[in-house]
């Protein structure tokens, strides 16, 4: 079950006695546990019927006692166990989960991993309640997720703006959602988010960023490349070398994979693990550099990454190091 399905059921007053939320992606877990905390009961009911516990500060017996209480002046009570992964003897919760109260909605937020699927507890969770198992999204899924998240809020975002956000923030959905929420607060209700909004409210230059640097390198546009490098040198926070070099290494590594893929854009996107929107950039760049040029670029990036941390380098400033690197990449 997806996290949206759980919330949809709750909005329709469909409840199970247990919701076990686990895995690697905190954002999905937080969406469900926060909804349970703030929306399953009205304000009058919360005082007597909402219990929030934290794994590091509680124990299994306290949790079970809370779940076994009956609601007061309401049909349901809600018990939310946050940071469950920090609670000792968590497997002892199986005594309650085996026979839960129908009047209690028990929500367990177990982050940073999963319980052993072979355990009795895992089997009881699947039998008695709802299991939400989350994992980090792949990079090629992120632009689509941004578009879907904005759409779920009744708004729209341009493809370029979404890519800028993904390129700048990476695979951190909580931070991504926070930036989008801040954007929407500042924009008129009918305004579609575009790259100008990203530049103004998030602080990402629409012209001088790693994504644009990759494109310029892929096209061997020396003028644009040098303008971006000079901007990074003058604004170190916009493009620190420790962020730029791994991004470029990833770009050329994926470009190198193009040479071994048989098929069209769909097959290339699947092999590279990128959104289909990016495929033409990789294909065109691969044509520009060829196999030997791409392999040379990968070796150069490895060497300059070592130099950027002081290995085989006499203390050249980051800006000069980047200028030297990009010139060698293209010639």
């Amino acid at each position: 079950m997806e996290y949206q399905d759980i919330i949809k059921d709750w909005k329709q007053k469909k409840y199970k006695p247990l919701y076990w939320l686990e895995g690697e992606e905190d954002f999905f877990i937080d969406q469900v546990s926060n909804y349970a905390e703030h929306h399953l009961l009205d304000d009058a009911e919360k005082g007597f019927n909402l219990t929030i516990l934290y794994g590091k500060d509680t124990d299994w017996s306290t949790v079970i006692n809370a779940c076994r209480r009956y609601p007061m002046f309401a049909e349901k009570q809600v018990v939310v166990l946050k940071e469950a992964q920090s609670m000792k003897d968590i497997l002892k919760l199986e005594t309650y989960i085996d026979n839960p109260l129908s009047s209690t909605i028990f929500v367990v937020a177990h982050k940073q991993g999963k319980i052993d699927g072979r355990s009795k507890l895992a089997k009881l969770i699947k039998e008695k309640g709802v299991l939400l198992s989350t994992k980090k999204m792949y990079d090629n899924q992120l632009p689509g997720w941004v578009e879907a998240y904005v759409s779920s809020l009744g708004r729209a975002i341009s493809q370029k703006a979404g890519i800028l956000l993904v390129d700048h923030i990476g695979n951190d959905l909580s931070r991504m959602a926070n930036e989008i929420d801040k954007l929407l607060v500042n924009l008129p209700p009918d305004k579609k988010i575009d790259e100008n909004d990203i530049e103004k409210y998030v602080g990402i230059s629409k012209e001088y960023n790693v994504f644009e640097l990759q494109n310029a390198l892929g096209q061997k546009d020396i003028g644009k490349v040098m303008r971006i490098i000079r901007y990074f040198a003058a604004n170190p926070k916009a493009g620190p070398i420790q962020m730029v070099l791994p991004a470029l290494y990833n770009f050329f590594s994926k470009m190198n994979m193009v040479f071994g893929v048989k098929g069209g854009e769909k097959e290339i996107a699947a092999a590279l693990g990128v959104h289909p929107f990016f495929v033409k950039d990789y294909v065109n760049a691969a044509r520009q550099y060829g196999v030997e040029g791409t392999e040379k670029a990968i070796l150069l990036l490895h060497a300059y990454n070592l130099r950027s941390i002081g290995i085989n380098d006499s203390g050249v400033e980051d800006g000069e190091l980047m200028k030297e690197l990009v010139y060698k990449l293209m010639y």
Side-chain angles (χ1 to χ4, degrees):
M1 179 174 280
E2 301 293 331
Y3 83 94
Q4 302 99 318
D5 297 325
I6 295 175
I7 294 174
K8 182 180 178 180
D9 281 351
W10 285 349
K11 288 180 178 179
Q12 296 174 354
K13 307 296 183 183
K14 298 177 182 178
Y15 306 115
K16 295 284 188 179
L18 169 69
Y19 295 87
W20 189 280
L21 322 171
E22 66 177 22
E24 303 168 348
E25 183 48 72
D26 293 352
F27 176 79
F28 300 136
I29 295 173
D30 289 338
Q31 289 290 294
V32 177
S33 61
N34 289 342
Y35 191 94
E37 179 178 351
H38 297 291
H39 299 291
L40 289 185
L41 301 172
D42 62 36
D43 290 339
E45 294 171 331
K46 288 177 184 176
F48 293 105
N49 300 294
L50 175 63
T51 304
I52 307 296
L53 300 168
Y54 291 85
K56 63 181 179 180
D57 300 322
T58 192
D59 56 46
W60 65 273
S61 61
T62 301
V63 175
I64 291 178
N65 287 335
C67 290
R68 282 180 173 159
R69 287 200 301 264
Y70 287 96
M72 294 181 65
F73 313 113
E75 294 182 358
K76 301 283 184 182
Q77 74 149 340
V78 175
V79 178
V80 180
L81 174 60
K82 298 185 177 183
E83 301 173 5
Q85 71 279 1
S86 301
M87 193 178 82
K88 295 180 180 179
D89 297 325
I90 194 169
L91 294 180
K92 291 184 177 180
L93 291 179
E94 65 187 35
T95 58
Y96 171 77
I97 293 173
D98 191 26
N99 187 29
L101 282 185
S102 60
S103 57
T104 295
I105 302 172
F106 183 28
V107 180
V108 181
H110 186 284
K111 297 180 178 179
Q112 303 167 16
K114 304 176 182 180
I115 62 167
D116 187 347
R118 300 165 297 180
S119 66
K120 180 181 178 182
L121 177 58
K123 295 173 183 176
L124 286 172
I125 290 168
K126 294 176 182 178
E127 179 184 342
K128 303 290 185 175
V130 173
L131 172 65
L132 174 68
S133 185
T134 71
K135 61 181 180 180
K136 286 289 186 182
M137 299 188 75
Y138 295 113
D139 290 347
N140 63 321
Q141 297 174 307
L142 293 174
W145 182 87
V146 169
E147 184 177 347
Y149 180 75
V150 173
S151 179
S152 73
L153 301 174
R155 305 294 287 273
I157 185 170
S158 72
Q159 195 169 49
K160 178 67 177 293
I163 290 169
L164 279 176
L165 273 176
V166 169
D167 184 63
H168 180 71
I169 296 173
N171 198 348
D172 186 339
L173 299 191
S174 296
R175 184 183 167 200
M176 191 88 72
N178 286 336
E179 293 293 350
I180 291 170
D181 293 343
K182 286 192 295 183
L183 269 167
L184 296 182
V185 167
N186 287 286
L187 296 176
D190 58 347
K191 174 72 168 66
K192 183 177 184 178
I193 302 171
D194 60 28
E195 55 265 38
N196 294 314
D197 301 318
I198 301 297
E199 183 172 39
K200 182 177 181 180
Y201 295 110
V202 184
I204 309 169
S205 172
K206 64 181 180 181
E207 296 180 13
Y208 303 104
N209 55 72
V210 176
F211 176 70
E212 291 297 332
L213 177 59
Q214 288 178 178
N215 281 345
L217 281 169
Q219 297 165 16
K220 292 195 173 182
D221 185 341
I222 184 63
K224 185 175 181 180
V225 167
M226 295 311 296
R227 286 195 298 273
I228 296 173
I229 294 302
R230 285 194 291 267
Y231 179 85
F232 285 169
N235 302 272
K237 291 183 179 180
I241 195 168
Q242 292 80 12
M243 178 187 78
V244 173
L245 290 179
L248 295 183
Y249 186 88
N250 184 55
F251 176 71
F252 278 95
S253 295
K254 289 185 182 299
M255 188 200 306
N256 194 41
M257 293 171 64
V258 171
F259 300 110
V261 179
K262 295 181 179 179
E265 291 186 1
K266 183 178 179 180
E267 288 75 19
I268 294 173
L272 273 57
V274 301
H275 192 277
F277 177 82
F278 296 104
V279 169
K280 288 183 180 179
D281 293 335
Y282 286 103
V283 171
N284 292 335
R287 290 183 184 137
Q288 286 277 0
Y289 284 82
V291 176
E292 291 185 5
T294 304
E295 292 177 349
K296 170 193 167 187
I298 292 171
L299 293 173
L300 279 170
L301 284 161
H302 177 67
Y304 275 78
N305 184 55
L306 293 176
R307 289 184 63 184
S308 73
I309 59 175
I311 299 175
N312 300 323
D313 187 77
S314 57
V316 179
E317 291 188 2
D318 290 350
E320 293 303 315
L321 204 61
M322 282 300 303
K323 289 178 185 178
E324 184 181 314
L325 168 63
V326 297
Y327 187 85
K328 289 183 178 179
L329 285 174
M330 291 186 289
Y331 296 101

